[in-house]
Amino acid sequence: NYKDVLAGSLYPDAADNKDESHYTDLKRGSDNISHIRGKVDLYAFLDDHNTLNDFEIGWFLHLVTDYLFFEECFTTEYLLETSYEMFCKDLYFAYDCLTNFLTEKYYITENDYEAYPEEYYPGIPYEDCILSKDMIDNFIKRVSSINVNKYIKKIMKKKKNIKP
């Protein structure tokens, strides 16, 4: 059911407790690298949800996207050289830029955000964004090509976050 998958994909960022909805490691370090690497625990999610319904599939896809986004879209050099405060500022600016870019590219309207309209942002100009449009396009292609069933089996076998 498309609506359930969509609602599940929006849920982690709409939940009151985002650490809980993202299966965040609460003992993660405070430096940028360990902070973002502990943001999502795919194995813990799958261990809690043995059989995924449509809502949980959407939720899982959100977590996979976040995990890969933080693993692949920021260089170690950038994370080491940037303060946590500046990283957060850059990240939220990038989110606004991405919303605008993806809304235009995929013809997304506010109606597509019915599950949590208070979280919809119209976006801002893309200048000075830390994430290039090409990087985002390639990231979307990569994530959309993942065989979810094989990836779930791989995570469950390794019992930890692992790239597809």
Side-chain angles (χ1 to χ4, degrees):
N1 176 317
Y2 172 78
K3 285 193 171 219
D4 288 344
V5 173
L6 182 60
S9 72
L10 298 174
Y11 170 71
D13 288 342
D16 290 332
N17 187 332
K18 290 174 183 42
D19 285 340
E20 201 172 274
S21 66
H22 284 83
Y23 283 76
T24 300
D25 177 3
L26 299 179
K27 296 176 184 171
R28 65 190 179 185
S30 58
D31 64 282
N32 287 341
I33 293 174
S34 58
H35 187 77
I36 65 171
R37 299 248 161 89
K39 178 67 180 156
V40 173
D41 188 334
L42 300 174
Y43 175 73
F45 174 83
L46 291 171
D47 197 43
D48 279 355
H49 303 273
N50 294 328
T51 305
L52 302 181
N53 61 33
D54 289 343
F55 180 87
E56 292 165 335
I57 288 170
W59 186 354
F60 177 69
L61 291 174
H62 178 111
L63 298 182
V64 167
T65 302
D66 278 1
Y67 166 66
L68 293 174
F69 178 75
F70 286 122
E71 283 287 318
E72 298 178 359
C73 292
F74 300 98
T75 65
T76 300
E77 180 182 18
Y78 167 81
L79 293 170
L80 289 172
E81 293 177 355
T82 305
S83 70
Y84 178 72
E85 292 76 22
M86 191 62 195
F87 171 69
C88 289
K89 186 177 177 181
D90 284 348
L91 182 63
Y92 288 104
F93 178 76
Y95 285 161
D96 286 344
C97 293
L98 291 173
T99 298
N100 191 41
F101 171 60
L102 297 174
T103 297
E104 290 175 13
K105 181 173 179 137
Y106 295 104
Y107 308 105
I108 299 169
T109 69
E110 288 188 42
N111 292 335
D112 294 309
Y113 291 90
E114 288 176 0
Y116 67 169
E118 73 278 1
E119 294 290 327
Y120 176 79
Y121 300 102
I124 54 179
Y126 213 90
E127 62 191 44
D128 298 324
C129 185
I130 58 173
L131 305 171
S132 73
K133 292 179 182 180
D134 285 342
M135 176 195 293
I136 296 306
D137 283 336
N138 289 332
F139 180 77
I140 290 169
K141 286 176 191 168
R142 174 167 158 53
V143 171
S144 64
S145 70
I146 294 170
N147 179 317
V148 175
N149 291 327
K150 284 183 181 178
Y151 189 36
I152 288 171
K153 288 177 184 172
K154 186 174 183 179
I155 294 166
M156 295 306 290
K157 182 178 180 182
K158 297 289 184 176
K159 297 185 178 187
K160 65 179 186 174
N161 286 354
I162 189 166
K163 292 184 181 182

PDB file of all heavy atoms in Angstrom, residues 5 9 45 56-66 143 148:
ATOM      1  N   VAL A   5       3.532   2.959   2.879  1.00  0.00           N
ATOM      2  CA  VAL A   5       4.975   3.059   2.649  1.00  0.00           C
ATOM      3  C   VAL A   5       5.404   4.518   2.779  1.00  0.00           C
ATOM      4  O   VAL A   5       6.401   4.829   3.454  1.00  0.00           O
ATOM      5  CB  VAL A   5       5.382   2.483   1.276  1.00  0.00           C
ATOM      6  CG1 VAL A   5       6.850   2.759   0.983  1.00  0.00           C
ATOM      7  CG2 VAL A   5       5.098   0.990   1.211  1.00  0.00           C
ATOM      8  N   SER A   9       7.880   6.145   5.516  1.00  0.00           N
ATOM      9  CA  SER A   9       9.117   6.833   5.123  1.00  0.00           C
ATOM     10  C   SER A   9       9.216   8.222   5.761  1.00  0.00           C
ATOM     11  O   SER A   9      10.311   8.734   5.970  1.00  0.00           O
ATOM     12  CB  SER A   9       9.223   6.936   3.600  1.00  0.00           C
ATOM     13  OG  SER A   9       8.303   7.885   3.095  1.00  0.00           O
ATOM     14  N   PHE A  45      16.791  -2.075  14.161  1.00  0.00           N
ATOM     15  CA  PHE A  45      15.438  -1.917  13.601  1.00  0.00           C
ATOM     16  C   PHE A  45      14.913  -3.262  13.106  1.00  0.00           C
ATOM     17  O   PHE A  45      13.792  -3.656  13.435  1.00  0.00           O
ATOM     18  CB  PHE A  45      15.446  -0.892  12.459  1.00  0.00           C
ATOM     19  CG  PHE A  45      14.118  -0.789  11.761  1.00  0.00           C
ATOM     20  CD1 PHE A  45      13.107   0.011  12.272  1.00  0.00           C
ATOM     21  CD2 PHE A  45      13.856  -1.517  10.607  1.00  0.00           C
ATOM     22  CE1 PHE A  45      11.868   0.084  11.643  1.00  0.00           C
ATOM     23  CE2 PHE A  45      12.632  -1.454   9.976  1.00  0.00           C
ATOM     24  CZ  PHE A  45      11.630  -0.644  10.492  1.00  0.00           C
ATOM     25  N   GLU A  56       6.383  -0.256   7.839  1.00  0.00           N
ATOM     26  CA  GLU A  56       7.740  -0.549   8.297  1.00  0.00           C
ATOM     27  C   GLU A  56       8.737  -0.601   7.138  1.00  0.00           C
ATOM     28  O   GLU A  56       9.911  -0.253   7.317  1.00  0.00           O
ATOM     29  CB  GLU A  56       7.756  -1.851   9.092  1.00  0.00           C
ATOM     30  CG  GLU A  56       7.018  -1.719  10.412  1.00  0.00           C
ATOM     31  CD  GLU A  56       6.683  -3.052  11.063  1.00  0.00           C
ATOM     32  OE1 GLU A  56       6.582  -4.072  10.348  1.00  0.00           O
ATOM     33  OE2 GLU A  56       6.520  -3.060  12.295  1.00  0.00           O
ATOM     34  N   ILE A  57       8.292  -0.997   5.968  1.00  0.00           N
ATOM     35  CA  ILE A  57       9.163  -0.948   4.789  1.00  0.00           C
ATOM     36  C   ILE A  57       9.539   0.506   4.498  1.00  0.00           C
ATOM     37  O   ILE A  57      10.708   0.823   4.254  1.00  0.00           O
ATOM     38  CB  ILE A  57       8.502  -1.617   3.567  1.00  0.00           C
ATOM     39  CG1 ILE A  57       8.469  -3.130   3.765  1.00  0.00           C
ATOM     40  CG2 ILE A  57       9.233  -1.254   2.274  1.00  0.00           C
ATOM     41  CD1 ILE A  57       7.646  -3.880   2.744  1.00  0.00           C
ATOM     42  N   GLY A  58       8.557   1.403   4.538  1.00  0.00           N
ATOM     43  CA  GLY A  58       8.840   2.831   4.341  1.00  0.00           C
ATOM     44  C   GLY A  58       9.790   3.358   5.401  1.00  0.00           C
ATOM     45  O   GLY A  58      10.730   4.107   5.104  1.00  0.00           O
ATOM     46  N   TRP A  59       9.549   2.972   6.638  1.00  0.00           N
ATOM     47  CA  TRP A  59      10.401   3.375   7.767  1.00  0.00           C
ATOM     48  C   TRP A  59      11.828   2.869   7.539  1.00  0.00           C
ATOM     49  O   TRP A  59      12.808   3.616   7.665  1.00  0.00           O
ATOM     50  CB  TRP A  59       9.802   2.809   9.042  1.00  0.00           C
ATOM     51  CG  TRP A  59      10.402   3.191  10.354  1.00  0.00           C
ATOM     52  CD1 TRP A  59      11.536   3.921  10.589  1.00  0.00           C
ATOM     53  CD2 TRP A  59       9.894   2.835  11.636  1.00  0.00           C
ATOM     54  NE1 TRP A  59      11.768   4.032  11.933  1.00  0.00           N
ATOM     55  CE2 TRP A  59      10.767   3.367  12.604  1.00  0.00           C
ATOM     56  CE3 TRP A  59       8.799   2.095  12.059  1.00  0.00           C
ATOM     57  CZ2 TRP A  59      10.568   3.203  13.972  1.00  0.00           C
ATOM     58  CZ3 TRP A  59       8.608   1.932  13.421  1.00  0.00           C
ATOM     59  CH2 TRP A  59       9.465   2.486  14.368  1.00  0.00           C
ATOM     60  N   PHE A  60      11.956   1.592   7.183  1.00  0.00           N
ATOM     61  CA  PHE A  60      13.274   1.010   6.918  1.00  0.00           C
ATOM     62  C   PHE A  60      13.973   1.743   5.780  1.00  0.00           C
ATOM     63  O   PHE A  60      15.170   2.060   5.872  1.00  0.00           O
ATOM     64  CB  PHE A  60      13.144  -0.484   6.606  1.00  0.00           C
ATOM     65  CG  PHE A  60      14.438  -1.146   6.257  1.00  0.00           C
ATOM     66  CD1 PHE A  60      15.426  -1.325   7.217  1.00  0.00           C
ATOM     67  CD2 PHE A  60      14.675  -1.598   4.966  1.00  0.00           C
ATOM     68  CE1 PHE A  60      16.632  -1.946   6.896  1.00  0.00           C
ATOM     69  CE2 PHE A  60      15.878  -2.215   4.642  1.00  0.00           C
ATOM     70  CZ  PHE A  60      16.853  -2.383   5.606  1.00  0.00           C
ATOM     71  N   LEU A  61      13.264   2.042   4.705  1.00  0.00           N
ATOM     72  CA  LEU A  61      13.870   2.745   3.579  1.00  0.00           C
ATOM     73  C   LEU A  61      14.365   4.129   3.998  1.00  0.00           C
ATOM     74  O   LEU A  61      15.415   4.587   3.530  1.00  0.00           O
ATOM     75  CB  LEU A  61      12.887   2.844   2.412  1.00  0.00           C
ATOM     76  CG  LEU A  61      12.580   1.516   1.724  1.00  0.00           C
ATOM     77  CD1 LEU A  61      11.486   1.697   0.678  1.00  0.00           C
ATOM     78  CD2 LEU A  61      13.834   0.910   1.098  1.00  0.00           C
ATOM     79  N   HIS A  62      13.631   4.789   4.872  1.00  0.00           N
ATOM     80  CA  HIS A  62      14.089   6.077   5.409  1.00  0.00           C
ATOM     81  C   HIS A  62      15.404   5.890   6.157  1.00  0.00           C
ATOM     82  O   HIS A  62      16.357   6.651   5.972  1.00  0.00           O
ATOM     83  CB  HIS A  62      13.026   6.679   6.335  1.00  0.00           C
ATOM     84  CG  HIS A  62      13.448   7.965   6.965  1.00  0.00           C
ATOM     85  ND1 HIS A  62      12.874   9.167   6.630  1.00  0.00           N
ATOM     86  CD2 HIS A  62      14.397   8.249   7.910  1.00  0.00           C
ATOM     87  CE1 HIS A  62      13.449  10.131   7.340  1.00  0.00           C
ATOM     88  NE2 HIS A  62      14.384   9.590   8.130  1.00  0.00           N
ATOM     89  N   LEU A  63      15.466   4.870   7.010  1.00  0.00           N
ATOM     90  CA  LEU A  63      16.672   4.615   7.793  1.00  0.00           C
ATOM     91  C   LEU A  63      17.852   4.254   6.894  1.00  0.00           C
ATOM     92  O   LEU A  63      18.981   4.718   7.121  1.00  0.00           O
ATOM     93  CB  LEU A  63      16.427   3.520   8.827  1.00  0.00           C
ATOM     94  CG  LEU A  63      15.362   3.812   9.889  1.00  0.00           C
ATOM     95  CD1 LEU A  63      15.265   2.645  10.865  1.00  0.00           C
ATOM     96  CD2 LEU A  63      15.635   5.112  10.619  1.00  0.00           C
ATOM     97  N   VAL A  64      17.616   3.449   5.869  1.00  0.00           N
ATOM     98  CA  VAL A  64      18.669   3.102   4.910  1.00  0.00           C
ATOM     99  C   VAL A  64      19.184   4.364   4.228  1.00  0.00           C
ATOM    100  O   VAL A  64      20.400   4.568   4.107  1.00  0.00           O
ATOM    101  CB  VAL A  64      18.153   2.089   3.859  1.00  0.00           C
ATOM    102  CG1 VAL A  64      19.122   1.960   2.685  1.00  0.00           C
ATOM    103  CG2 VAL A  64      17.897   0.737   4.492  1.00  0.00           C
ATOM    104  N   THR A  65      18.269   5.204   3.804  1.00  0.00           N
ATOM    105  CA  THR A  65      18.656   6.450   3.136  1.00  0.00           C
ATOM    106  C   THR A  65      19.482   7.329   4.063  1.00  0.00           C
ATOM    107  O   THR A  65      20.529   7.853   3.664  1.00  0.00           O
ATOM    108  CB  THR A  65      17.406   7.194   2.630  1.00  0.00           C
ATOM    109  OG1 THR A  65      16.683   6.337   1.739  1.00  0.00           O
ATOM    110  CG2 THR A  65      17.779   8.480   1.912  1.00  0.00           C
ATOM    111  N   ASP A  66      19.046   7.477   5.307  1.00  0.00           N
ATOM    112  CA  ASP A  66      19.825   8.276   6.261  1.00  0.00           C
ATOM    113  C   ASP A  66      21.201   7.662   6.478  1.00  0.00           C
ATOM    114  O   ASP A  66      22.215   8.366   6.467  1.00  0.00           O
ATOM    115  CB  ASP A  66      19.099   8.378   7.605  1.00  0.00           C
ATOM    116  CG  ASP A  66      18.032   9.452   7.636  1.00  0.00           C
ATOM    117  OD1 ASP A  66      17.821  10.137   6.607  1.00  0.00           O
ATOM    118  OD2 ASP A  66      17.402   9.615   8.698  1.00  0.00           O
ATOM    119  N   VAL A 143      20.542   4.472  -4.223  1.00  0.00           N
ATOM    120  CA  VAL A 143      19.602   3.969  -3.222  1.00  0.00           C
ATOM    121  C   VAL A 143      18.421   3.274  -3.888  1.00  0.00           C
ATOM    122  O   VAL A 143      17.967   2.233  -3.430  1.00  0.00           O
ATOM    123  CB  VAL A 143      19.141   5.113  -2.282  1.00  0.00           C
ATOM    124  CG1 VAL A 143      18.016   4.664  -1.373  1.00  0.00           C
ATOM    125  CG2 VAL A 143      20.324   5.625  -1.457  1.00  0.00           C
ATOM    126  N   VAL A 148      16.139  -4.595  -1.745  1.00  0.00           N
ATOM    127  CA  VAL A 148      15.846  -4.486  -0.316  1.00  0.00           C
ATOM    128  C   VAL A 148      15.898  -5.847   0.382  1.00  0.00           C
ATOM    129  O   VAL A 148      16.465  -5.968   1.472  1.00  0.00           O
ATOM    130  CB  VAL A 148      14.487  -3.779  -0.085  1.00  0.00           C
ATOM    131  CG1 VAL A 148      14.119  -3.772   1.384  1.00  0.00           C
ATOM    132  CG2 VAL A 148      14.534  -2.357  -0.629  1.00  0.00           C
TER     133      VAL A 148
END
